[in-house]
Amino acid sequence: MIASDDGSRSLLLVVNRRLTALSFHIREYFWVDMKKINEIYRYKTEEYSQGATNKFNIYPEQIPSWLVDWIPEKGGYLIGNLQPAHMDFWFFSLGNLWAITSSLTIPRQAEEILNLMEKKWEDFIWNIPLKICYPAYFAGLSYHNGGPWPTLLWQFTLACIKMGRPELAHKAVSVAEKRLSNDQWPEYYDT
């Protein structure tokens, strides 16, 4: 959105450098798959140095019990939040889908996000696509607490098309077609 001219070149250079650093940070530190989970289990805690493997002092005990059984071998996702000594392991559909469409993820990560969503179809699509997060925060399947938001279908479709997997989007849309018009096109479902 910034026109490239003599007055904006230095600004564009700084912005591009910052975006490169930010992209690396998100791809490296917010990504969770079985390999990363195994690394976290071996982390030493209370390491404070430039060479520390556990840069955020994450305690292995923070890995929720559901995660190891839930995440498939060829699947992964970007977690919702990372801060010193704490990782939020919730899967947020909107953030992960936009990461794919905006190329924030590398192609392997984008493919693994879609693999995860396909392998855990019941957790995301259920009988009303598409759940906003997994697992639910508080009251399951209500508003932003893991409830289905059909409006996310277009981001899901866009991500699937970008990654050459339109059949996955078609499968989700066909589930939605059975309910949406009868339910008068709700923005979200609150069960």
Side-chain angles (χ1 to χ4, degrees), residues 22-24 26-28 30-32 76-79 91 95-114 159 162-163:
L22 180 60
S23 296
F24 171 82
I26 290 172
R27 291 171 184 159
E28 182 67 23
F30 282 67
W31 180 253
V32 173
Y77 65 101
L78 295 170
I79 61 172
F91 178 101
N96 277 274
L97 295 173
W98 274 121
I100 293 171
T101 53
S102 68
S103 298
L104 179 57
T105 56
I106 58 174
R108 177 189 58 80
Q109 290 173 329
E111 195 61 47
E112 288 193 14
I113 291 168
L114 292 181
K162 179 177 181 181
M163 296 308 297

PDB file of all heavy atoms in Angstrom, residues 22-24 26-28 30-32 76-79 91 95-114 159 162-163:
ATOM      1  N   LEU A  22       9.831 -10.967  11.617  1.00  0.00           N
ATOM      2  CA  LEU A  22       8.569 -11.374  12.229  1.00  0.00           C
ATOM      3  C   LEU A  22       8.101 -12.718  11.664  1.00  0.00           C
ATOM      4  O   LEU A  22       7.665 -13.594  12.413  1.00  0.00           O
ATOM      5  CB  LEU A  22       7.500 -10.299  12.009  1.00  0.00           C
ATOM      6  CG  LEU A  22       6.127 -10.579  12.601  1.00  0.00           C
ATOM      7  CD1 LEU A  22       6.198 -10.754  14.114  1.00  0.00           C
ATOM      8  CD2 LEU A  22       5.167  -9.464  12.233  1.00  0.00           C
ATOM      9  N   SER A  23       8.205 -12.887  10.355  1.00  0.00           N
ATOM     10  CA  SER A  23       7.813 -14.158   9.734  1.00  0.00           C
ATOM     11  C   SER A  23       8.637 -15.305  10.284  1.00  0.00           C
ATOM     12  O   SER A  23       8.100 -16.365  10.616  1.00  0.00           O
ATOM     13  CB  SER A  23       7.980 -14.090   8.210  1.00  0.00           C
ATOM     14  OG  SER A  23       7.115 -13.136   7.671  1.00  0.00           O
ATOM     15  N   PHE A  24       9.940 -15.101  10.398  1.00  0.00           N
ATOM     16  CA  PHE A  24      10.796 -16.145  10.965  1.00  0.00           C
ATOM     17  C   PHE A  24      10.360 -16.476  12.386  1.00  0.00           C
ATOM     18  O   PHE A  24      10.245 -17.647  12.762  1.00  0.00           O
ATOM     19  CB  PHE A  24      12.271 -15.719  10.958  1.00  0.00           C
ATOM     20  CG  PHE A  24      13.137 -16.678  11.726  1.00  0.00           C
ATOM     21  CD1 PHE A  24      13.589 -17.852  11.134  1.00  0.00           C
ATOM     22  CD2 PHE A  24      13.469 -16.432  13.057  1.00  0.00           C
ATOM     23  CE1 PHE A  24      14.364 -18.759  11.854  1.00  0.00           C
ATOM     24  CE2 PHE A  24      14.245 -17.327  13.776  1.00  0.00           C
ATOM     25  CZ  PHE A  24      14.687 -18.492  13.175  1.00  0.00           C
ATOM     26  N   ILE A  26       7.469 -16.158  13.910  1.00  0.00           N
ATOM     27  CA  ILE A  26       6.195 -16.882  13.967  1.00  0.00           C
ATOM     28  C   ILE A  26       6.367 -18.302  13.451  1.00  0.00           C
ATOM     29  O   ILE A  26       5.904 -19.258  14.072  1.00  0.00           O
ATOM     30  CB  ILE A  26       5.100 -16.117  13.200  1.00  0.00           C
ATOM     31  CG1 ILE A  26       4.752 -14.842  13.986  1.00  0.00           C
ATOM     32  CG2 ILE A  26       3.866 -16.991  12.980  1.00  0.00           C
ATOM     33  CD1 ILE A  26       3.828 -13.895  13.273  1.00  0.00           C
ATOM     34  N   ARG A  27       7.028 -18.464  12.307  1.00  0.00           N
ATOM     35  CA  ARG A  27       7.225 -19.808  11.738  1.00  0.00           C
ATOM     36  C   ARG A  27       8.028 -20.716  12.661  1.00  0.00           C
ATOM     37  O   ARG A  27       7.792 -21.912  12.723  1.00  0.00           O
ATOM     38  CB  ARG A  27       7.942 -19.701  10.403  1.00  0.00           C
ATOM     39  CG  ARG A  27       7.115 -19.081   9.310  1.00  0.00           C
ATOM     40  CD  ARG A  27       7.959 -18.810   8.084  1.00  0.00           C
ATOM     41  NE  ARG A  27       7.174 -18.136   7.063  1.00  0.00           N
ATOM     42  CZ  ARG A  27       7.715 -17.429   6.092  1.00  0.00           C
ATOM     43  NH1 ARG A  27       9.026 -17.296   5.988  1.00  0.00           N
ATOM     44  NH2 ARG A  27       6.934 -16.851   5.207  1.00  0.00           N
ATOM     45  N   GLU A  28       8.979 -20.160  13.348  1.00  0.00           N
ATOM     46  CA  GLU A  28       9.876 -20.949  14.192  1.00  0.00           C
ATOM     47  C   GLU A  28       9.312 -21.196  15.585  1.00  0.00           C
ATOM     48  O   GLU A  28       9.340 -22.321  16.081  1.00  0.00           O
ATOM     49  CB  GLU A  28      11.222 -20.228  14.310  1.00  0.00           C
ATOM     50  CG  GLU A  28      12.251 -20.970  15.123  1.00  0.00           C
ATOM     51  CD  GLU A  28      12.726 -22.273  14.497  1.00  0.00           C
ATOM     52  OE1 GLU A  28      12.613 -22.433  13.267  1.00  0.00           O
ATOM     53  OE2 GLU A  28      13.186 -23.147  15.262  1.00  0.00           O
ATOM     54  N   PHE A  30       6.082 -20.239  16.964  1.00  0.00           N
ATOM     55  CA  PHE A  30       4.654 -20.468  17.156  1.00  0.00           C
ATOM     56  C   PHE A  30       4.195 -21.774  16.520  1.00  0.00           C
ATOM     57  O   PHE A  30       3.055 -22.168  16.663  1.00  0.00           O
ATOM     58  CB  PHE A  30       3.831 -19.306  16.586  1.00  0.00           C
ATOM     59  CG  PHE A  30       3.805 -18.096  17.479  1.00  0.00           C
ATOM     60  CD1 PHE A  30       4.952 -17.350  17.705  1.00  0.00           C
ATOM     61  CD2 PHE A  30       2.637 -17.699  18.092  1.00  0.00           C
ATOM     62  CE1 PHE A  30       4.937 -16.232  18.524  1.00  0.00           C
ATOM     63  CE2 PHE A  30       2.610 -16.581  18.913  1.00  0.00           C
ATOM     64  CZ  PHE A  30       3.759 -15.857  19.133  1.00  0.00           C
ATOM     65  N   TRP A  31       5.067 -22.443  15.788  1.00  0.00           N
ATOM     66  CA  TRP A  31       4.711 -23.688  15.107  1.00  0.00           C
ATOM     67  C   TRP A  31       4.786 -24.867  16.071  1.00  0.00           C
ATOM     68  O   TRP A  31       5.756 -25.017  16.811  1.00  0.00           O
ATOM     69  CB  TRP A  31       5.653 -23.931  13.927  1.00  0.00           C
ATOM     70  CG  TRP A  31       5.329 -25.200  13.207  1.00  0.00           C
ATOM     71  CD1 TRP A  31       6.036 -26.366  13.222  1.00  0.00           C
ATOM     72  CD2 TRP A  31       4.193 -25.430  12.376  1.00  0.00           C
ATOM     73  NE1 TRP A  31       5.404 -27.311  12.460  1.00  0.00           N
ATOM     74  CE2 TRP A  31       4.268 -26.758  11.921  1.00  0.00           C
ATOM     75  CE3 TRP A  31       3.111 -24.647  11.986  1.00  0.00           C
ATOM     76  CZ2 TRP A  31       3.312 -27.319  11.089  1.00  0.00           C
ATOM     77  CZ3 TRP A  31       2.160 -25.209  11.147  1.00  0.00           C
ATOM     78  CH2 TRP A  31       2.265 -26.530  10.712  1.00  0.00           C
ATOM     79  N   VAL A  32       3.740 -25.712  16.049  1.00  0.00           N
ATOM     80  CA  VAL A  32       3.707 -26.917  16.874  1.00  0.00           C
ATOM     81  C   VAL A  32       3.332 -28.106  15.999  1.00  0.00           C
ATOM     82  O   VAL A  32       2.328 -28.067  15.291  1.00  0.00           O
ATOM     83  CB  VAL A  32       2.685 -26.790  18.026  1.00  0.00           C
ATOM     84  CG1 VAL A  32       2.532 -28.111  18.765  1.00  0.00           C
ATOM     85  CG2 VAL A  32       3.106 -25.718  19.000  1.00  0.00           C
ATOM     86  N   GLY A  76       0.272 -30.152  11.898  1.00  0.00           N
ATOM     87  CA  GLY A  76       0.783 -29.144  12.810  1.00  0.00           C
ATOM     88  C   GLY A  76      -0.026 -27.872  12.656  1.00  0.00           C
ATOM     89  O   GLY A  76      -0.916 -27.787  11.816  1.00  0.00           O
ATOM     90  N   TYR A  77       0.311 -26.878  13.470  1.00  0.00           N
ATOM     91  CA  TYR A  77      -0.420 -25.615  13.414  1.00  0.00           C
ATOM     92  C   TYR A  77       0.353 -24.530  14.148  1.00  0.00           C
ATOM     93  O   TYR A  77       1.305 -24.799  14.865  1.00  0.00           O
ATOM     94  CB  TYR A  77      -1.828 -25.770  13.996  1.00  0.00           C
ATOM     95  CG  TYR A  77      -1.883 -26.098  15.475  1.00  0.00           C
ATOM     96  CD1 TYR A  77      -2.157 -25.109  16.415  1.00  0.00           C
ATOM     97  CD2 TYR A  77      -1.676 -27.395  15.936  1.00  0.00           C
ATOM     98  CE1 TYR A  77      -2.218 -25.402  17.771  1.00  0.00           C
ATOM     99  CE2 TYR A  77      -1.747 -27.703  17.276  1.00  0.00           C
ATOM    100  CZ  TYR A  77      -2.015 -26.704  18.195  1.00  0.00           C
ATOM    101  OH  TYR A  77      -2.078 -26.992  19.525  1.00  0.00           O
ATOM    102  N   LEU A  78      -0.085 -23.310  13.941  1.00  0.00           N
ATOM    103  CA  LEU A  78       0.460 -22.164  14.659  1.00  0.00           C
ATOM    104  C   LEU A  78      -0.370 -21.963  15.927  1.00  0.00           C
ATOM    105  O   LEU A  78      -1.594 -21.851  15.853  1.00  0.00           O
ATOM    106  CB  LEU A  78       0.406 -20.900  13.796  1.00  0.00           C
ATOM    107  CG  LEU A  78       1.273 -20.932  12.544  1.00  0.00           C
ATOM    108  CD1 LEU A  78       0.948 -19.747  11.641  1.00  0.00           C
ATOM    109  CD2 LEU A  78       2.746 -20.952  12.893  1.00  0.00           C
ATOM    110  N   ILE A  79       0.297 -21.941  17.064  1.00  0.00           N
ATOM    111  CA  ILE A  79      -0.414 -21.758  18.327  1.00  0.00           C
ATOM    112  C   ILE A  79      -0.912 -20.324  18.448  1.00  0.00           C
ATOM    113  O   ILE A  79      -0.454 -19.433  17.738  1.00  0.00           O
ATOM    114  CB  ILE A  79       0.469 -22.125  19.542  1.00  0.00           C
ATOM    115  CG1 ILE A  79       1.708 -21.232  19.609  1.00  0.00           C
ATOM    116  CG2 ILE A  79       0.821 -23.597  19.525  1.00  0.00           C
ATOM    117  CD1 ILE A  79       2.530 -21.398  20.878  1.00  0.00           C
ATOM    118  N   PHE A  91      -5.868 -24.289  18.993  1.00  0.00           N
ATOM    119  CA  PHE A  91      -5.837 -24.100  17.546  1.00  0.00           C
ATOM    120  C   PHE A  91      -6.897 -23.066  17.215  1.00  0.00           C
ATOM    121  O   PHE A  91      -8.072 -23.252  17.534  1.00  0.00           O
ATOM    122  CB  PHE A  91      -6.163 -25.412  16.826  1.00  0.00           C
ATOM    123  CG  PHE A  91      -6.196 -25.293  15.326  1.00  0.00           C
ATOM    124  CD1 PHE A  91      -5.113 -25.712  14.583  1.00  0.00           C
ATOM    125  CD2 PHE A  91      -7.295 -24.758  14.671  1.00  0.00           C
ATOM    126  CE1 PHE A  91      -5.131 -25.605  13.203  1.00  0.00           C
ATOM    127  CE2 PHE A  91      -7.318 -24.641  13.294  1.00  0.00           C
ATOM    128  CZ  PHE A  91      -6.235 -25.074  12.560  1.00  0.00           C
ATOM    129  N   GLY A  95      -6.751 -17.640  12.375  1.00  0.00           N
ATOM    130  CA  GLY A  95      -5.329 -17.308  12.285  1.00  0.00           C
ATOM    131  C   GLY A  95      -4.550 -18.279  11.424  1.00  0.00           C
ATOM    132  O   GLY A  95      -3.703 -17.880  10.615  1.00  0.00           O
ATOM    133  N   ASN A  96      -4.815 -19.569  11.566  1.00  0.00           N
ATOM    134  CA  ASN A  96      -4.103 -20.565  10.774  1.00  0.00           C
ATOM    135  C   ASN A  96      -4.489 -20.495   9.300  1.00  0.00           C
ATOM    136  O   ASN A  96      -3.629 -20.629   8.428  1.00  0.00           O
ATOM    137  CB  ASN A  96      -4.343 -21.968  11.343  1.00  0.00           C
ATOM    138  CG  ASN A  96      -3.409 -22.262  12.491  1.00  0.00           C
ATOM    139  OD1 ASN A  96      -2.285 -22.713  12.303  1.00  0.00           O
ATOM    140  ND2 ASN A  96      -3.871 -21.988  13.710  1.00  0.00           N
ATOM    141  N   LEU A  97      -5.766 -20.248   9.015  1.00  0.00           N
ATOM    142  CA  LEU A  97      -6.188 -20.134   7.613  1.00  0.00           C
ATOM    143  C   LEU A  97      -5.605 -18.894   6.956  1.00  0.00           C
ATOM    144  O   LEU A  97      -5.151 -18.936   5.807  1.00  0.00           O
ATOM    145  CB  LEU A  97      -7.711 -20.159   7.523  1.00  0.00           C
ATOM    146  CG  LEU A  97      -8.356 -21.482   7.961  1.00  0.00           C
ATOM    147  CD1 LEU A  97      -9.866 -21.348   8.011  1.00  0.00           C
ATOM    148  CD2 LEU A  97      -7.917 -22.629   7.059  1.00  0.00           C
ATOM    149  N   TRP A  98      -5.588 -17.775   7.674  1.00  0.00           N
ATOM    150  CA  TRP A  98      -4.983 -16.565   7.105  1.00  0.00           C
ATOM    151  C   TRP A  98      -3.472 -16.710   6.970  1.00  0.00           C
ATOM    152  O   TRP A  98      -2.860 -16.134   6.064  1.00  0.00           O
ATOM    153  CB  TRP A  98      -5.337 -15.317   7.916  1.00  0.00           C
ATOM    154  CG  TRP A  98      -6.645 -14.723   7.486  1.00  0.00           C
ATOM    155  CD1 TRP A  98      -7.738 -14.533   8.252  1.00  0.00           C
ATOM    156  CD2 TRP A  98      -7.004 -14.279   6.176  1.00  0.00           C
ATOM    157  NE1 TRP A  98      -8.758 -14.000   7.501  1.00  0.00           N
ATOM    158  CE2 TRP A  98      -8.332 -13.829   6.222  1.00  0.00           C
ATOM    159  CE3 TRP A  98      -6.335 -14.222   4.959  1.00  0.00           C
ATOM    160  CZ2 TRP A  98      -9.002 -13.330   5.115  1.00  0.00           C
ATOM    161  CZ3 TRP A  98      -7.007 -13.714   3.844  1.00  0.00           C
ATOM    162  CH2 TRP A  98      -8.322 -13.271   3.933  1.00  0.00           C
ATOM    163  N   ALA A  99      -2.853 -17.458   7.857  1.00  0.00           N
ATOM    164  CA  ALA A  99      -1.408 -17.707   7.722  1.00  0.00           C
ATOM    165  C   ALA A  99      -1.115 -18.444   6.425  1.00  0.00           C
ATOM    166  O   ALA A  99      -0.099 -18.184   5.766  1.00  0.00           O
ATOM    167  CB  ALA A  99      -0.895 -18.493   8.928  1.00  0.00           C
ATOM    168  N   ILE A 100      -1.996 -19.352   6.035  1.00  0.00           N
ATOM    169  CA  ILE A 100      -1.824 -20.064   4.764  1.00  0.00           C
ATOM    170  C   ILE A 100      -2.020 -19.111   3.598  1.00  0.00           C
ATOM    171  O   ILE A 100      -1.171 -19.007   2.714  1.00  0.00           O
ATOM    172  CB  ILE A 100      -2.816 -21.246   4.651  1.00  0.00           C
ATOM    173  CG1 ILE A 100      -2.490 -22.321   5.681  1.00  0.00           C
ATOM    174  CG2 ILE A 100      -2.790 -21.836   3.238  1.00  0.00           C
ATOM    175  CD1 ILE A 100      -3.545 -23.416   5.792  1.00  0.00           C
ATOM    176  N   THR A 101      -3.149 -18.390   3.583  1.00  0.00           N
ATOM    177  CA  THR A 101      -3.475 -17.560   2.419  1.00  0.00           C
ATOM    178  C   THR A 101      -2.521 -16.381   2.252  1.00  0.00           C
ATOM    179  O   THR A 101      -2.275 -15.949   1.141  1.00  0.00           O
ATOM    180  CB  THR A 101      -4.927 -17.059   2.467  1.00  0.00           C
ATOM    181  OG1 THR A 101      -5.165 -16.412   3.713  1.00  0.00           O
ATOM    182  CG2 THR A 101      -5.896 -18.201   2.304  1.00  0.00           C
ATOM    183  N   SER A 102      -1.955 -15.892   3.336  1.00  0.00           N
ATOM    184  CA  SER A 102      -1.043 -14.743   3.242  1.00  0.00           C
ATOM    185  C   SER A 102       0.419 -15.165   3.072  1.00  0.00           C
ATOM    186  O   SER A 102       1.293 -14.316   3.025  1.00  0.00           O
ATOM    187  CB  SER A 102      -1.168 -13.880   4.501  1.00  0.00           C
ATOM    188  OG  SER A 102      -0.658 -14.594   5.623  1.00  0.00           O
ATOM    189  N   SER A 103       0.660 -16.474   3.012  1.00  0.00           N
ATOM    190  CA  SER A 103       2.015 -17.032   2.896  1.00  0.00           C
ATOM    191  C   SER A 103       2.874 -16.762   4.126  1.00  0.00           C
ATOM    192  O   SER A 103       4.093 -16.728   4.039  1.00  0.00           O
ATOM    193  CB  SER A 103       2.727 -16.534   1.629  1.00  0.00           C
ATOM    194  OG  SER A 103       2.025 -16.946   0.488  1.00  0.00           O
ATOM    195  N   LEU A 104       2.242 -16.574   5.262  1.00  0.00           N
ATOM    196  CA  LEU A 104       2.998 -16.452   6.502  1.00  0.00           C
ATOM    197  C   LEU A 104       3.644 -17.794   6.840  1.00  0.00           C
ATOM    198  O   LEU A 104       4.756 -17.849   7.334  1.00  0.00           O
ATOM    199  CB  LEU A 104       2.095 -15.987   7.648  1.00  0.00           C
ATOM    200  CG  LEU A 104       2.757 -15.846   9.014  1.00  0.00           C
ATOM    201  CD1 LEU A 104       3.944 -14.881   8.963  1.00  0.00           C
ATOM    202  CD2 LEU A 104       1.747 -15.381  10.039  1.00  0.00           C
ATOM    203  N   THR A 105       2.923 -18.878   6.565  1.00  0.00           N
ATOM    204  CA  THR A 105       3.514 -20.202   6.747  1.00  0.00           C
ATOM    205  C   THR A 105       4.336 -20.556   5.517  1.00  0.00           C
ATOM    206  O   THR A 105       4.081 -20.058   4.421  1.00  0.00           O
ATOM    207  CB  THR A 105       2.418 -21.277   6.908  1.00  0.00           C
ATOM    208  OG1 THR A 105       1.545 -21.222   5.782  1.00  0.00           O
ATOM    209  CG2 THR A 105       1.644 -21.096   8.192  1.00  0.00           C
ATOM    210  N   ILE A 106       5.310 -21.428   5.723  1.00  0.00           N
ATOM    211  CA  ILE A 106       6.004 -21.989   4.560  1.00  0.00           C
ATOM    212  C   ILE A 106       5.098 -23.084   3.993  1.00  0.00           C
ATOM    213  O   ILE A 106       4.182 -23.555   4.687  1.00  0.00           O
ATOM    214  CB  ILE A 106       7.408 -22.530   4.941  1.00  0.00           C
ATOM    215  CG1 ILE A 106       7.308 -23.602   6.025  1.00  0.00           C
ATOM    216  CG2 ILE A 106       8.326 -21.385   5.369  1.00  0.00           C
ATOM    217  CD1 ILE A 106       8.630 -24.284   6.352  1.00  0.00           C
ATOM    218  N   PRO A 107       5.298 -23.500   2.741  1.00  0.00           N
ATOM    219  CA  PRO A 107       4.388 -24.486   2.139  1.00  0.00           C
ATOM    220  C   PRO A 107       4.210 -25.765   2.964  1.00  0.00           C
ATOM    221  O   PRO A 107       3.091 -26.274   3.085  1.00  0.00           O
ATOM    222  CB  PRO A 107       5.028 -24.779   0.780  1.00  0.00           C
ATOM    223  CG  PRO A 107       5.725 -23.493   0.436  1.00  0.00           C
ATOM    224  CD  PRO A 107       6.253 -22.985   1.749  1.00  0.00           C
ATOM    225  N   ARG A 108       5.266 -26.287   3.567  1.00  0.00           N
ATOM    226  CA  ARG A 108       5.148 -27.507   4.380  1.00  0.00           C
ATOM    227  C   ARG A 108       4.211 -27.267   5.561  1.00  0.00           C
ATOM    228  O   ARG A 108       3.366 -28.099   5.880  1.00  0.00           O
ATOM    229  CB  ARG A 108       6.520 -27.963   4.872  1.00  0.00           C
ATOM    230  CG  ARG A 108       6.445 -29.201   5.787  1.00  0.00           C
ATOM    231  CD  ARG A 108       7.775 -29.527   6.440  1.00  0.00           C
ATOM    232  NE  ARG A 108       8.345 -28.448   7.239  1.00  0.00           N
ATOM    233  CZ  ARG A 108       7.959 -28.159   8.491  1.00  0.00           C
ATOM    234  NH1 ARG A 108       7.000 -28.817   9.079  1.00  0.00           N
ATOM    235  NH2 ARG A 108       8.548 -27.163   9.151  1.00  0.00           N
ATOM    236  N   GLN A 109       4.332 -26.126   6.210  1.00  0.00           N
ATOM    237  CA  GLN A 109       3.460 -25.820   7.345  1.00  0.00           C
ATOM    238  C   GLN A 109       2.006 -25.670   6.892  1.00  0.00           C
ATOM    239  O   GLN A 109       1.095 -26.168   7.550  1.00  0.00           O
ATOM    240  CB  GLN A 109       3.928 -24.553   8.056  1.00  0.00           C
ATOM    241  CG  GLN A 109       5.231 -24.724   8.801  1.00  0.00           C
ATOM    242  CD  GLN A 109       5.766 -23.409   9.353  1.00  0.00           C
ATOM    243  OE1 GLN A 109       5.559 -22.341   8.780  1.00  0.00           O
ATOM    244  NE2 GLN A 109       6.474 -23.502  10.478  1.00  0.00           N
ATOM    245  N   ALA A 110       1.802 -24.994   5.770  1.00  0.00           N
ATOM    246  CA  ALA A 110       0.447 -24.825   5.242  1.00  0.00           C
ATOM    247  C   ALA A 110      -0.185 -26.180   4.956  1.00  0.00           C
ATOM    248  O   ALA A 110      -1.355 -26.420   5.305  1.00  0.00           O
ATOM    249  CB  ALA A 110       0.473 -23.968   3.980  1.00  0.00           C
ATOM    250  N   GLU A 111       0.578 -27.066   4.353  1.00  0.00           N
ATOM    251  CA  GLU A 111       0.077 -28.412   4.055  1.00  0.00           C
ATOM    252  C   GLU A 111      -0.243 -29.170   5.340  1.00  0.00           C
ATOM    253  O   GLU A 111      -1.260 -29.856   5.430  1.00  0.00           O
ATOM    254  CB  GLU A 111       1.121 -29.163   3.223  1.00  0.00           C
ATOM    255  CG  GLU A 111       0.595 -30.407   2.565  1.00  0.00           C
ATOM    256  CD  GLU A 111      -0.546 -30.151   1.588  1.00  0.00           C
ATOM    257  OE1 GLU A 111      -0.456 -29.239   0.748  1.00  0.00           O
ATOM    258  OE2 GLU A 111      -1.552 -30.882   1.696  1.00  0.00           O
ATOM    259  N   GLU A 112       0.599 -29.018   6.353  1.00  0.00           N
ATOM    260  CA  GLU A 112       0.371 -29.728   7.608  1.00  0.00           C
ATOM    261  C   GLU A 112      -0.839 -29.184   8.375  1.00  0.00           C
ATOM    262  O   GLU A 112      -1.513 -29.935   9.072  1.00  0.00           O
ATOM    263  CB  GLU A 112       1.637 -29.721   8.468  1.00  0.00           C
ATOM    264  CG  GLU A 112       2.696 -30.642   7.896  1.00  0.00           C
ATOM    265  CD  GLU A 112       3.837 -30.935   8.838  1.00  0.00           C
ATOM    266  OE1 GLU A 112       3.731 -30.661  10.043  1.00  0.00           O
ATOM    267  OE2 GLU A 112       4.855 -31.458   8.344  1.00  0.00           O
ATOM    268  N   ILE A 113      -1.128 -27.897   8.240  1.00  0.00           N
ATOM    269  CA  ILE A 113      -2.340 -27.346   8.857  1.00  0.00           C
ATOM    270  C   ILE A 113      -3.568 -27.992   8.222  1.00  0.00           C
ATOM    271  O   ILE A 113      -4.483 -28.446   8.921  1.00  0.00           O
ATOM    272  CB  ILE A 113      -2.393 -25.810   8.726  1.00  0.00           C
ATOM    273  CG1 ILE A 113      -1.314 -25.160   9.594  1.00  0.00           C
ATOM    274  CG2 ILE A 113      -3.785 -25.278   9.099  1.00  0.00           C
ATOM    275  CD1 ILE A 113      -1.097 -23.679   9.323  1.00  0.00           C
ATOM    276  N   LEU A 114      -3.586 -28.054   6.891  1.00  0.00           N
ATOM    277  CA  LEU A 114      -4.720 -28.684   6.210  1.00  0.00           C
ATOM    278  C   LEU A 114      -4.778 -30.180   6.506  1.00  0.00           C
ATOM    279  O   LEU A 114      -5.869 -30.742   6.646  1.00  0.00           O
ATOM    280  CB  LEU A 114      -4.658 -28.426   4.701  1.00  0.00           C
ATOM    281  CG  LEU A 114      -4.889 -26.972   4.284  1.00  0.00           C
ATOM    282  CD1 LEU A 114      -4.824 -26.838   2.772  1.00  0.00           C
ATOM    283  CD2 LEU A 114      -6.204 -26.429   4.816  1.00  0.00           C
ATOM    284  N   ALA A 159      -7.811 -21.106   1.476  1.00  0.00           N
ATOM    285  CA  ALA A 159      -6.586 -21.817   1.860  1.00  0.00           C
ATOM    286  C   ALA A 159      -6.471 -23.143   1.112  1.00  0.00           C
ATOM    287  O   ALA A 159      -5.388 -23.504   0.636  1.00  0.00           O
ATOM    288  CB  ALA A 159      -6.558 -22.047   3.370  1.00  0.00           C
ATOM    289  N   LYS A 162      -5.568 -22.438  -2.551  1.00  0.00           N
ATOM    290  CA  LYS A 162      -4.166 -22.027  -2.646  1.00  0.00           C
ATOM    291  C   LYS A 162      -3.229 -23.219  -2.577  1.00  0.00           C
ATOM    292  O   LYS A 162      -2.213 -23.277  -3.255  1.00  0.00           O
ATOM    293  CB  LYS A 162      -3.813 -21.031  -1.543  1.00  0.00           C
ATOM    294  CG  LYS A 162      -2.354 -20.612  -1.616  1.00  0.00           C
ATOM    295  CD  LYS A 162      -1.989 -19.580  -0.607  1.00  0.00           C
ATOM    296  CE  LYS A 162      -0.518 -19.243  -0.822  1.00  0.00           C
ATOM    297  NZ  LYS A 162      -0.045 -18.276   0.102  1.00  0.00           N
ATOM    298  N   MET A 163      -3.563 -24.189  -1.728  1.00  0.00           N
ATOM    299  CA  MET A 163      -2.694 -25.348  -1.528  1.00  0.00           C
ATOM    300  C   MET A 163      -3.033 -26.507  -2.472  1.00  0.00           C
ATOM    301  O   MET A 163      -2.509 -27.603  -2.320  1.00  0.00           O
ATOM    302  CB  MET A 163      -2.767 -25.818  -0.072  1.00  0.00           C
ATOM    303  CG  MET A 163      -2.247 -24.804   0.918  1.00  0.00           C
ATOM    304  SD  MET A 163      -0.586 -24.193   0.525  1.00  0.00           S
ATOM    305  CE  MET A 163       0.377 -25.687   0.652  1.00  0.00           C
TER     306      MET A 163
END
